[in-house]
């Protein structure tokens, strides 16, 4: 007759499970079940082990078997109820959790999850009763709930105080640590958030949500190596959950070749077919990799899955080569007019409609939608042009000709970086594609590290001296180390290991003095375009993030003036250091300009730079499909299509327009 496992074996499995060693606990349970497949204690424990490792299918199978073997055993009812709540299967969870608390009225966790399930299906009064029972059984849980309520209501100081009170009585409460990390992260106190999450993961190595949050902290700081490692740990813990795959792929996308990210998104879709987030993100990467037909198919599949998501329509419009049909335009107009649509989705629809009517040469209607989109987006973001001007005043006052001369040649001597700067929509992607078509150069897209290295000078300062003034205190060793800090951060993007690489972050132009001090041998190219085309190009573009100056004619005009002002300063204090490439001259005389660029970069001539459109490299910017075509001049003078609407912009740019007179006319 089969016998149950000994208490010693059962306790050993429990010990491993409680110490983050679920795979070993699973082995012990499985071994015991070979001797007696109906040992209900081991069946239930095996289900709990699978639940901890997020093997949902296996956990559900074992827990159902345990319930079938012992209908009055409360624990498998509780565990299966938890599984179903986590899987958003609330109606199925409710009777199981009700049975669990009926069988054992001391199960505070079961009462709490019952409250969550009841609340999710709209049974609020019953949910309150379940929560109250949970709180009566566990004052700590009540304290956590009160802190979470304060957090949800925006009373962040009360929330923080509540979580810290919980930790005073129970330093091992990993949920309180995670919640404190969320508060710290929301305030951009990433060091504190990282510390809380590391404590939580140290205490509970299989705490999936904490690992995902920690990976997100790393990703937000562009610490891609650490983010990738963390998300891979999360996948090892939860191989059947899509979120960890989504996070890993979204980290790999900007950090390396998009092929790896695409493979991860495909794995996510195998687990969760039709997942709209995975479909949309994979479509972005297929576009980046130049697999346009596959990308369009993924975008269209995403529309089928989430027709109310305006971002998908704008993503199609942002291909620049995609044309919407009448049915799609009618759908976008209908959805953008709905009152209950989220603002972000409406804005995406509006910009997509602007592009649709621009393609049809109905410029009056196109501008109508662009203007609506800009007005709504401007209301959603924060941009202070006065702050921009004051910051640039400090930069100009700090990086004088005397300082540049004082620091000349003291920084890191590495010649590998090539920086392309300028106003967005001014031809920087075209220049990157041309230069990256050279066998000795790799294009790494827009890297955030120069800004990050510069702002590191403001870290941990209590005396109020920040960047840029903090540069005045630097010694030779500091300059060399700061240059190395940039190179180390950029290394993950240098997949091809060529002698040179391109950093195409347009917004680096305010930092060129700092750049020259820490990397004196780096090359700098200024992608310049006439102010009207450059500014109107921004007013017709919806950015995924950043570029908050781009949604108002006065804002973008004044930003161009600041760009012009800074570039004039850099040419004055660093004569001969920067090569200006005028977009209109590049498209008019490609071969002559390529020769000029390669001479400045001290690179030998290669025909591939003229035939840049044959390069199948990944391109991550809105111009990705445009730079896969031979050179063309049809983008010059596009601003004149909307000239009657641009009096505000022309007034702001009045003083600088004469400098670009010969470039302002359409070809």
């Amino acid at each position: 007759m089969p016998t149950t496992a000994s208490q010693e074996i059962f306790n050993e499995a429990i010990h491993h499970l409680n110490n983050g060693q679920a795979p070993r606990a699973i082995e012990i349970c499985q071994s015991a079940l070979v001797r007696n497949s109906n040992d209900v204690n081991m069946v239930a424990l095996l289900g709990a082990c699978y639940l901890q490792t997020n093997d949902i299918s296996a956990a559900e199978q074992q827990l159902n078997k345990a319930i079938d073997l012992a209908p009055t055993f409360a624990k498998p009812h509780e565990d299966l109820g938890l599984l179903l709540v986590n899987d958003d299967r609330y109606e199925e969870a409710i009777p199981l959790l009700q049975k669990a608390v009926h069988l054992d009225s001391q199960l505070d966790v079961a009462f709490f999850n019952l409250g969550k399930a009841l609340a999710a299906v709209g049974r609020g009064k019953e949910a309150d009763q379940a929560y109250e029972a949970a709180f009566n059984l566990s004052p700590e849980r009540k304290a956590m709930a009160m802190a979470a309520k304060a957090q949800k209501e925006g009373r962040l100081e009360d929330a923080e105080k509540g979580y810290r009170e919980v930790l005073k009585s129970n330093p091992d409460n990993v949920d309180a640590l995670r919640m404190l990390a969320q508060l710290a992260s929301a305030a951009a106190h990433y060091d504190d958030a990282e510390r809380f999450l590391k404590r939580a993961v140290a205490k509970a190595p299989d705490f999936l949500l904490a690992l995902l949050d920690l990976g997100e902290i790393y990703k937000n700081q562009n610490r891609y190596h650490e983010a990738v490692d963390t998300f891979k740990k999360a996948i090892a813990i939860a191989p059947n959950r899509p979120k960890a795959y989504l996070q890993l792929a979204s980290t790999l996308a900007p950090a390396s070749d998009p092929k790896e990210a695409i493979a991860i998104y495909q794995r996510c879709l195998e687990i969760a077919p039709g997942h709209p987030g995975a479909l949309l993100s994979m479509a972005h990467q297929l576009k980046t990799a130049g697999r346009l037909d596959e990308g369009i198919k993924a975008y269209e599949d995403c529309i089928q899955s989430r027709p109310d998501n305006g971002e998908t329509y704008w993503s199609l419009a942002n291909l620049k080569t995609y044309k919407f049909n009448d049915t799609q335009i009618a759908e976008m107009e209908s959805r953008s007019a709905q009152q209950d649509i989220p603002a972000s989705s409406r804005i995406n629809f509006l910009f997509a409609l602007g592009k649709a009517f621009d393609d049809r040469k109905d410029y009056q209607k196109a501008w109508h939608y662009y203007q609506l989109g800009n007005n709504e987006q401007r209301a959603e973001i924060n941009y202070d042009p006065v702050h921009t001007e004051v910051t640039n005043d400090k930069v100009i006052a700090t990086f004088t000709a005397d300082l540049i001369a004082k620091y000349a040649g003291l920084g890191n001597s590495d010649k590998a970086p090539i920086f392309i700067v300028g106003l967005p929509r001014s031809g920087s992607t075209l220049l990157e594609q041309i230069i990256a078509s050279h066998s000795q150069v790799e294009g790494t897209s827009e890297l955030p590290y120069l800004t990050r290295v510069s702002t590191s000078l403001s870290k941990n300062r209590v005396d109020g001296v920040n960047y840029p003034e903090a540069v005045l205190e630097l010694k030779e060793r500091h300059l060399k180390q700061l240059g190395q800090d940039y190179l180390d951060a950029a290394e993950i993007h240098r997949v091809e290991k060529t002698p040179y690489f391109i950093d195409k972050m347009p917004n680096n132009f305010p930092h060129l003095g700092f750049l020259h001090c820490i990397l004196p041998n780096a090359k700098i190219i200024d992608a310049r375009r006439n102010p009207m085309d450059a500014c109107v190009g921004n007013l017709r573009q919806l950015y995924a993030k950043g570029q908050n100056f781009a949604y108002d004619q006065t804002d973008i005009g004044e930003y161009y003036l600041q760009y012009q002002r800074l570039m004039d300063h850099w040419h004055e204090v660093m004569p001969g250091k920067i090569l200006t490439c005028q977009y209109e001259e590049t498209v008019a005389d490609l071969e002559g300009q390529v020769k000029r660029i390669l001479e400045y970069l001290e690179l030998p001539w290669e025909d591939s730079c003229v035939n840049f459109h044959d390069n199948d490299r990944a391109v991550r910017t809105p111009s990705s499909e445009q730079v896969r075509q031979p050179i063309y001049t049809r983008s010059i003078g596009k601003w004149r299509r909307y000239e009657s609407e641009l009096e505000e912009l022309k007034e702001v740019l009045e003083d600088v327009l004469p400098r670009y007179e010969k470039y302002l006319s359409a070809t």
Side-chain angles (χ1 to χ4, degrees):
M1 179 178 177
T3 59
T4 59
S6 70
Q7 188 66 44
E8 182 180 351
I9 293 173
F10 184 80
N11 289 343
E12 182 184 359
I14 290 285
H15 172 78
H16 287 296
L17 182 64
N18 290 340
N19 284 278
Q21 300 166 340
R24 177 59 186 141
I26 289 171
E27 291 176 3
I28 294 170
C29 293
Q30 289 174 332
S31 178
L33 289 169
V34 168
R35 295 188 294 274
N36 179 4
S37 62
N38 291 329
D39 182 340
V40 66
N41 289 320
M42 298 308 288
V43 171
L45 182 56
L46 181 58
C49 293
Y50 283 133
L51 182 59
Q52 189 173 109
T53 60
N54 287 279
D55 189 339
I56 303 306
S57 177
E60 189 169 357
Q61 180 183 3
Q62 294 299 320
L63 292 170
N64 272 316
K65 181 179 177 180
I67 291 170
D68 184 58
L69 288 169
T72 60
F73 190 179
K75 192 66 171 70
H77 286 84
E78 178 186 31
D79 288 345
L80 185 54
L82 171 62
L83 180 154
L84 295 170
V85 168
N86 288 343
D87 209 31
D88 299 333
R89 293 156 62 184
Y90 302 111
E91 293 285 5
E92 296 175 68
I94 289 169
L96 285 159
L97 292 166
Q98 287 174 328
K99 183 68 175 292
V101 298
H102 173 73
L103 293 169
D104 185 348
S105 60
Q106 300 302 303
L107 296 177
D108 63 287
V109 176
F111 272 116
F112 186 76
N113 283 302
L114 177 58
K116 287 173 63 176
L118 290 166
V121 300
R123 293 161 63 177
K125 186 174 181 180
E126 294 171 87
D128 289 343
Q129 292 172 347
Y131 281 136
E132 191 62 33
F135 298 155
N136 288 336
L137 289 167
S138 173
E140 183 176 304
R141 185 172 296 281
K142 183 174 184 178
M144 284 290 296
M146 295 299 290
K149 184 173 185 289
Q151 183 176 353
K152 185 176 181 180
E153 294 174 351
R155 295 183 288 111
L156 302 185
E157 289 185 9
D158 291 341
E160 181 178 354
K161 182 179 178 181
Y163 294 134
R164 289 188 181 277
E165 286 296 324
V166 169
L167 287 172
K168 280 184 183 178
S169 58
N170 179 12
D172 292 336
N173 190 310
V174 293
D175 291 313
L177 288 168
R178 178 173 174 254
M179 293 300 102
L180 281 172
Q182 286 189 356
L183 293 173
S185 180
H189 298 155
Y190 296 122
D191 289 347
D192 290 337
E194 180 181 345
R195 178 166 51 83
F196 289 132
L197 289 168
K198 282 184 172 179
R199 279 179 58 190
V201 172
K203 294 176 183 299
D206 291 337
F207 190 5
L208 177 64
L209 294 177
L211 276 172
L212 292 174
D213 288 353
L214 181 58
E216 187 75 10
I217 292 292
Y218 291 141
K219 186 175 75 167
N220 288 342
Q221 298 177 84
N222 309 118
R223 293 161 61 182
Y224 294 121
H225 280 300
E226 293 160 289
V228 166
D229 288 345
T230 304
F231 291 135
K232 285 182 176 179
K233 288 177 184 176
I235 286 173
I237 291 170
N240 297 306
R241 290 292 182 93
K243 186 171 183 180
Y245 291 95
L246 279 174
Q247 293 282 49
L248 175 60
S250 68
T251 304
L252 290 169
S256 60
D257 193 304
K259 293 176 185 175
E260 189 175 2
I262 291 168
I264 302 294
Y265 283 127
Q266 288 171 332
R267 173 62 184 138
C268 181
L269 288 166
E270 290 173 8
I271 297 168
H275 192 293
L279 278 172
L280 182 58
S281 297
M282 186 173 73
H284 293 335
Q285 292 310 303
L286 289 166
K287 178 204 75 168
T288 296
R291 295 159 60 178
L292 187 58
D293 290 342
E294 294 174 79
I296 290 173
K297 173 64 166 57
Y299 283 131
E300 291 174 343
D301 288 345
C302 194
I303 288 174
Q304 291 297 316
S305 177
R306 281 280 310 280
D308 60 339
N309 186 8
E311 184 183 351
T312 313
Y313 283 91
W314 169 245
S315 298
L316 283 167
N318 208 23
L319 293 173
K320 311 302 182 187
T321 56
Y322 187 88
K323 303 293 188 292
F324 291 108
N325 60 38
D326 291 346
T327 302
Q328 291 171 312
I329 289 175
E331 177 75 7
M332 289 191 289
E333 288 186 311
S334 173
R335 291 193 178 277
S336 67
Q338 293 174 2
Q339 296 301 311
D340 58 348
I341 189 173
S344 60
S345 198
R346 187 198 316 279
I347 292 164
N348 276 274
F349 278 124
L350 292 171
F351 273 90
L353 283 164
K355 172 64 166 56
F357 285 106
D358 184 278
D359 288 338
R360 295 181 173 212
K361 297 181 171 53
D362 187 343
Y363 300 125
Q364 183 176 2
K365 202 162 188 178
W367 191 257
H368 166 73
Y369 282 114
Y370 282 134
Q371 190 64 48
L372 286 176
N374 277 304
N375 289 344
E376 292 210 20
Q377 179 68 358
R378 185 65 180 89
E380 293 293 313
I381 51 94
N382 293 314
Y383 176 66
D384 182 357
V386 175
H387 175 74
T388 298
E389 183 175 358
V390 170
T391 300
N392 292 340
D393 288 343
K394 293 178 181 179
V395 168
I396 289 171
T398 300
F399 291 99
T400 62
D402 288 343
L403 182 72
I404 296 296
K406 176 183 175 182
Y407 286 165
L410 299 184
N412 191 296
S413 62
D414 200 306
K415 296 181 178 181
I418 299 169
F419 289 83
I420 300 177
V421 302
L423 200 76
R425 313 302 300 148
S426 295
S428 59
T429 304
L430 173 62
L431 291 176
E432 180 193 34
Q433 185 79 346
I434 289 169
I435 300 167
S437 296
H438 197 284
S439 63
Q440 295 186 44
V441 184
E442 178 177 10
T444 60
S445 194
E446 300 176 0
L447 306 184
Y449 306 119
L450 185 61
T451 297
R452 195 172 90 186
V453 171
S454 69
T455 55
S456 71
L457 297 181
S458 306
K459 200 171 182 180
N460 300 322
R461 296 292 296 249
V462 295
D463 55 6
V465 179
N466 295 313
Y467 178 85
E469 294 92 343
V471 172
L472 301 172
E473 303 173 356
L474 300 179
K475 307 297 183 185
E476 181 175 356
R477 68 181 185 277
H478 302 131
L479 297 170
K480 282 183 165 55
Q481 185 57 55
L482 289 165
Q484 191 61 49
D485 289 345
Y486 169 85
L487 295 168
D488 290 344
E491 183 63 29
I492 190 174
H493 304 274
R494 300 184 65 183
V495 178
E496 298 172 12
K497 306 302 181 186
T498 54
Y500 303 96
F501 71 95
I502 302 170
D503 179 341
K504 194 198 74 71
M505 176 63 79
N507 309 78
N508 277 335
F509 69 84
H511 302 299
L512 296 186
F514 177 69
L515 165 62
H516 185 51
C517 291
I518 67 170
L519 289 164
N521 294 321
K523 300 292 187 180
I524 305 170
I525 296 176
D526 172 23
R528 190 78 63 93
R529 191 178 186 185
N530 85 72
M532 294 302 294
D533 272 332
C535 292
V536 171
N538 277 276
L539 291 167
R540 295 170 59 241
Q541 181 69 42
L542 178 61
Y543 293 98
K545 62 180 179 179
Q547 320 299 21
N548 288 350
F549 52 80
Y551 302 106
D552 176 86
Q553 289 192 39
T554 296
D555 286 347
I556 185 63
E558 291 181 349
Y559 193 83
Y560 193 98
L561 295 179
Q562 288 299 314
Y563 156 68
Q564 183 74 64
R565 174 190 177 209
L566 277 166
M567 293 312 303
D568 288 348
H569 176 73
W570 298 134
H571 282 291
E572 179 183 343
V573 300
M574 302 187 300
K577 178 63 182 175
I578 302 164
L579 181 71
T580 299
C581 291
Q582 192 72 36
Y583 174 79
E584 293 82 2
E585 294 179 1
T586 302
V587 299
D589 178 21
L590 178 62
E591 187 166 332
Q593 290 299 310
V594 169
K595 181 179 179 183
R596 176 171 168 261
I597 291 167
L598 293 181
E599 285 177 353
Y600 167 74
L601 296 176
E602 302 178 86
L603 291 172
W605 174 269
E606 289 186 0
D607 290 342
S608 57
C609 295
V610 177
N611 300 318
F612 62 87
H613 51 279
D614 293 330
N615 190 338
D616 62 357
R617 60 178 285 270
V619 183
R620 294 182 170 87
T621 69
S623 304
S624 60
E625 294 314 304
Q626 293 164 302
V627 299
R628 292 189 173 107
Q629 305 171 41
I631 205 76
Y632 57 83
T633 60
R634 60 181 179 271
S635 289
I636 298 176
K638 264 190 175 182
W639 69 275
R640 291 197 180 276
R641 298 173 179 177
Y642 305 105
E643 186 169 6
S644 63
E645 306 289 344
L646 299 174
E647 289 305 314
E648 179 184 339
L649 177 62
K650 285 196 283 187
E651 183 177 347
V652 175
L653 293 171
E654 183 178 5
D655 290 343
V656 76
L657 287 177
R659 297 175 60 168
Y660 296 91
E661 184 62 37
K662 67 178 179 178
Y663 302 123
L664 290 172
S665 299
T667 56

